[in-house]
Amino acid sequence: MKKNIAIVMGGYSSEVNISIKSGNVVYKHLNKEKYNSFRVLILKEKWVVLDNNNTEYNIDKNDFSFILDNKKIIFDCVFNAIHGAPGENGQLLAYFNLINLKHTSAPFYQMALTFNKRDTLSAVKAYNIKTATSIYLNKGDVINLDLIVEKVGLPCFIKPNNAGSSYGISKAHKKEDILPAIEIAYKEDSEILIESFLNGTEVSVGVIDYKGKTKVLPITEIVSENDFFDYEAKYEGKSQEITPARISKTQKEKVEKTAKKVYEILNMSGFSRSEYIFVNDEPYFLEMNTVPGLTEESILPQQAQAAGISLAELFDNAITATLNN
């Protein structure tokens, strides 16, 4: 019997269009002889299944089913391709947990934890993982620019605490840049993070569950044409993503060991892609993405290809692991 797979995409954040691209790539590559795959568009105003003509069928939120040709379709597994809320921050996964529906992501608490940058940093610091010096602000907090500069130095990064795809991130080169950058970050989130600038090679490390084991994928070096790896660099071709990264054997071994440790510290499962910067050969952890981009051009699929894992195999592995769990 073929398993019914829901590929959820869309979401409630600025990343909706990127998520739809990812979901369509998963749909394209999933084995049609093994699975009945359905694209499920989740937006604030509607939850619908799309057929090949983009005809919409409403999802029954009581059990996440839908009616097709007068027959009720129940899903065996959900493939999560929603970047940002509600797929990457745990909300949707908590709902799936309540209705006893399996999904390809980590448990909802792990997803919520890793979506919150400052909570993730707090968790990994307890295990001696190196991170940038940082300050946290909640909307409405008094802003002391001198104190910020004294603690994190200049230049520094201002970023939303709960947001992905480099939305709302700015690099402040002088004190006068900080307040406007804070306003930009607050448009994405009511909590923000101000971090010291780490000067070194930036790498992206994919870690996944693969055939029952934690697997670190080939490492990607990020060379941005812009001042940092912002939205334009990430999605509009303003960067080079070099896999495998041009790093030393020592750096490679250290970041692989750190990335595997972070994945296991945080009790992760499913997909992850984390960013690190090398300072004097030591990898400093920046953040973890638990629903990374899944298009053919995205970093994690590039890394899988470099490891000899096709997209069909990568996606199939996630579903197989979920169904067998």
Side-chain angles (χ1 to χ4, degrees):
M1 280 281 286
K2 282 191 193 179
K3 299 289 186 184
N4 292 331
I5 310 298
I7 302 161
V8 295
M9 56 192 193
Y12 305 162
S13 75
S14 309
E15 301 175 82
V16 58
N17 291 326
I18 302 157
S19 169
I20 290 169
K21 280 185 185 173
S22 288
N24 280 318
V25 169
V26 176
Y27 180 70
K28 175 181 155 188
H29 287 276
L30 265 189
N31 186 335
K32 301 289 186 285
E33 290 175 14
K34 193 171 176 182
Y35 305 116
N36 295 316
S37 306
F38 299 90
R39 295 172 302 151
V40 182
L41 185 61
I42 293 197
L43 302 172
K44 279 181 179 168
E45 63 275 17
K46 62 185 178 184
W47 290 19
V48 293
V49 176
L50 302 174
D51 68 13
N52 288 332
N53 301 314
N54 286 332
T55 304
E56 297 181 353
Y57 303 85
N58 287 323
I59 284 278
D60 180 348
K61 292 182 184 176
N62 290 301
D63 58 2
F64 204 69
S65 65
F66 75 104
I67 304 295
L68 181 66
D69 298 330
N70 295 319
K71 187 183 170 195
K72 181 171 176 166
I73 306 290
I74 302 263
F75 293 110
D76 297 292
C77 175
V78 174
F79 191 107
N80 181 19
I82 296 180
H83 313 308
E88 198 166 4
N89 66 357
Q91 290 172 327
L92 189 64
L93 309 174
Y95 156 73
F96 290 145
N97 195 50
L98 284 172
I99 62 169
N100 203 25
L101 180 53
K102 293 183 173 188
H103 60 80
T104 55
S105 287
F108 68 89
Y109 174 74
Q110 271 67 37
M111 298 293 282
L113 170 67
T114 50
F115 194 69
N116 186 305
K117 293 183 180 75
R118 71 182 181 192
D119 289 358
T120 308
L121 292 170
S122 299
V124 301
K125 278 180 193 171
Y127 290 85
N128 300 316
I129 302 295
K130 293 179 171 64
T131 65
T133 304
S134 54
I135 286 176
Y136 310 132
L137 288 177
N138 295 321
K139 206 162 196 173
D141 284 354
V142 173
I143 297 164
N144 184 328
L145 293 179
D146 292 326
L147 190 69
I148 290 169
V149 172
E150 186 187 327
K151 182 161 183 194
V152 302
L154 286 167
C156 62
F157 283 102
I158 295 93
K159 52 178 83 169
N161 189 40
N162 298 281
S165 288
S166 304
Y167 283 104
I169 298 184
S170 305
K171 186 177 179 183
H173 291 271
K174 51 189 191 290
K175 189 163 82 170
E176 298 77 59
D177 297 339
I178 296 175
L179 271 180
I182 286 173
E183 289 309 310
I184 289 166
Y186 275 144
K187 285 178 185 167
E188 292 289 332
D189 192 18
S190 61
E191 302 173 349
I192 64 170
L193 190 61
I194 303 176
E195 286 185 329
S196 58
F197 168 66
L198 299 173
N199 191 14
T201 302
E202 182 171 351
V203 294
S204 192
V205 188
V207 184
I208 60 172
D209 268 342
Y210 190 68
K211 298 186 175 174
K213 292 185 178 164
T214 302
K215 182 175 180 66
V216 181
L217 295 170
I219 296 157
T220 300
E221 179 184 350
I222 307 295
V223 184
S224 177
E225 290 173 28
N226 292 355
D227 200 16
F228 63 97
F229 194 45
D230 59 6
Y231 181 88
E232 200 180 39
K234 195 175 278 189
Y235 293 108
E236 294 174 7
K238 297 284 187 176
S239 69
Q240 281 181 282
E241 295 158 4
I242 301 161
T243 310
R246 302 166 300 178
I247 54 177
S248 68
K249 186 169 182 278
T250 300
Q251 288 175 324
K252 179 176 180 287
E253 287 170 356
K254 281 186 176 177
V255 78
E256 282 178 343
K257 187 179 175 185
T258 303
K260 186 171 188 280
K261 184 178 176 183
V262 167
Y263 188 89
E264 291 173 349
I265 284 167
L266 296 171
N267 282 324
M268 283 305 301
S269 55
F271 297 104
S272 80
R273 198 198 74 232
S274 298
E275 320 308 322
Y276 293 84
I277 288 179
F278 286 106
V279 180
N280 301 325
D281 282 351
E282 293 296 327
Y284 279 66
F285 172 79
L286 299 181
E287 64 181 50
M288 178 181 280
N289 298 283
T290 54
V291 186
L294 295 171
T295 69
E296 282 97 340
E297 303 79 36
S298 299
I299 293 172
L300 190 121
Q302 282 181 38
Q303 295 175 340
Q305 302 271 31
I309 303 168
S310 69
L311 289 186
E313 199 180 346
L314 182 71
F315 303 149
D316 179 74
N317 175 75
I319 291 168
T320 302
T322 301
L323 291 171
N324 291 341
N325 189 359

